[in-house]
Amino acid sequence: MLNKLKLLSLFLLTGITVFAQDQYLTAKSEDLEKTYESKSSYSVKEFPQKFRKDKPKNIILLIGDGMGISQVFAGLTANRGHLFLENCKYIGFSKTQSADNYITDSAAGGTALSAGVKTYNGAIGVDVNGNQVKTILEEASENGLATGLVSTSSITHATPASFIAHQASRGSYEDIAADFLKTDIDVFIGGGLDHFTKRKDGRDNKGYEVETNLKKIEKVKKGKLAGLTAEVHNGRVAERGDMLTVATETALNILDNNKNGFFLMIEGSQIDWGGHAGSTIYVAEDMLDFDQVIGKALEFAAKDKETLIIITADHETGGMAITGGDMQKGVVKAAFPTGDHTAVMVPVFSYGPGAEEFIGIMENTDINAKMKKLLLGD
Ligand code: MG
Ligand code: ZN
């Protein structure tokens, strides 16, 4: 009995320590996270495929960090056979290799999508020589379009950062936050409050309405908004709720005021963290959250008829393999041979005017070139 108690307390202590050190991990033991069992599912709408022109006025780029085919299929099974993603009739594959590595990280992967250059792992908006490279968000802004970034991670984390910041290293969070304030971005919503407010240099967020409460963020319809809903990263779905959906709707409301159009990047940040943790549950719940955000973007685009939607990933995470499941019951079992990123191609899904350009096998940098040609004509 005493031994059992000792073991139990040791187990509890270990669990708590792991949780405190790294919030990407789960407090539950890994085995409990291998099988996802759905408790509910949502219905998926079919949107019309009719658009006003050949070229888009707006682009919404949705990046599922670490989202390979298995992550998509885990979500599809978890939702009992369907995803909003299925509205995308044009599908391609993206080769994700970085300039210095067969396996990219999110900084080089993000910079390839944001600026169209292959760079070294860890680089945020700079090339292999450390020179700043202009991003599609910055070019859109210079051309009078509205711009926005939305993520569940800290907004200063590698993926969103690579669209707006220029730093030699992804870990320079305060410098990345300072880069946000050098630009003309209209709306950014995510975590990362500490990187803006607890700064050593005491810089403030001039010109932005800063809101930390989702209920207040939701009410902002115009002007410039910095929505910072967590000190660093937002929690898992159980904790953050529909934060990403609300943030997406808010960003679309604000950006749609600009008659010249807009560029918006939305990241489902934590699909990647589920892969790193080897957790089927984490991957599936974040994939379902991301797909419902895709649904909101599609709803906007279907009504607007001048918006191009691209959904892709920066890389795959975990080498996720679906090893069992039940489509009717929404059960998914998976195995993860690695806790790291993998080299495989990732899917590219698109909907709207210009979507037909994003088919076949392409480099991740080609996605940027195609978006730039369609949105800015260069
Ligand atoms: Mg990311
Ligand atoms: Zn990762």
Side-chain angles (χ1 to χ4, degrees), residues 147-150 155 164 180-181 183-190 196 205-229 243 246-255 257 264:
T147 56
L149 291 172
V150 172
I155 201 72
I164 198 163
F180 268 77
L181 305 175
T183 73
D184 206 29
I185 188 168
D186 295 273
V187 51
F188 54 97
I189 308 172
F196 289 90
N205 310 303
K206 235 174 172 179
Y208 285 88
E209 175 173 354
V210 183
E211 297 292 357
T212 56
N213 181 309
L214 204 57
K215 290 266 167 284
K216 285 190 176 161
I217 287 171
E218 204 172 5
K219 290 200 179 102
V220 183
K221 305 277 188 233
K222 57 183 186 344
K224 286 185 176 284
L225 171 68
L228 299 163
T229 53
M243 175 264 159
V246 172
T248 296
E249 288 178 306
T250 305
L252 287 171
N253 276 336
I254 294 170
L255 298 176
N257 291 325
L264 171 64

Side-chain angles (χ1 to χ4, degrees), residues 52-232:
R52 217 166 274 159
K53 291 179 188 131
D54 308 337
K55 281 191 168 191
K57 180 181 154 197
N58 314 310
I59 288 185
I60 306 173
L61 171 65
L62 292 118
I63 301 177
D65 198 316
M67 184 188 74
I69 300 285
S70 291
Q71 285 78 359
V72 170
F73 198 69
L76 188 143
T77 306
N79 198 42
R80 300 175 194 180
H82 287 290
L83 289 178
F84 277 109
L85 202 47
E86 289 172 86
N87 279 285
C88 300
K89 303 300 178 199
Y90 295 95
I91 295 165
F93 285 100
S94 163
K95 294 190 266 191
T96 66
Q97 282 59 48
S98 68
D100 72 336
N101 214 301
Y102 183 55
I103 297 176
T104 189
D105 80 325
S106 291
T111 303
L113 294 168
S114 73
V117 298
K118 297 257 184 189
T119 187
Y120 61 91
N121 284 5
I124 300 287
V126 297
D127 66 15
V128 283
N129 299 314
N131 299 314
Q132 297 195 4
V133 283
K134 197 171 279 181
T135 72
I136 184 170
L137 185 144
E138 291 167 324
E139 259 190 66
S141 178
E142 282 172 14
N143 279 268
L145 279 72
T147 56
L149 291 172
V150 172
S151 68
T152 69
S153 69
S154 168
I155 201 72
T156 55
H157 208 241
T159 311
S162 66
F163 282 80
I164 198 163
H166 304 279
Q167 296 295 335
S169 161
R170 59 182 287 172
S172 309
Y173 293 120
E174 287 204 359
D175 295 329
I176 288 168
D179 280 354
F180 268 77
L181 305 175
K182 283 179 200 158
T183 73
D184 206 29
I185 188 168
D186 295 273
V187 51
F188 54 97
I189 308 172
L193 182 66
D194 283 0
H195 304 138
F196 289 90
T197 57
K198 289 188 183 163
R199 303 180 55 80
K200 288 182 202 95
D201 62 10
R203 259 180 80 146
D204 68 359
N205 310 303
K206 235 174 172 179
Y208 285 88
E209 175 173 354
V210 183
E211 297 292 357
T212 56
N213 181 309
L214 204 57
K215 290 266 167 284
K216 285 190 176 161
I217 287 171
E218 204 172 5
K219 290 200 179 102
V220 183
K221 305 277 188 233
K222 57 183 186 344
K224 286 185 176 284
L225 171 68
L228 299 163
T229 53
E231 283 166 2
V232 184

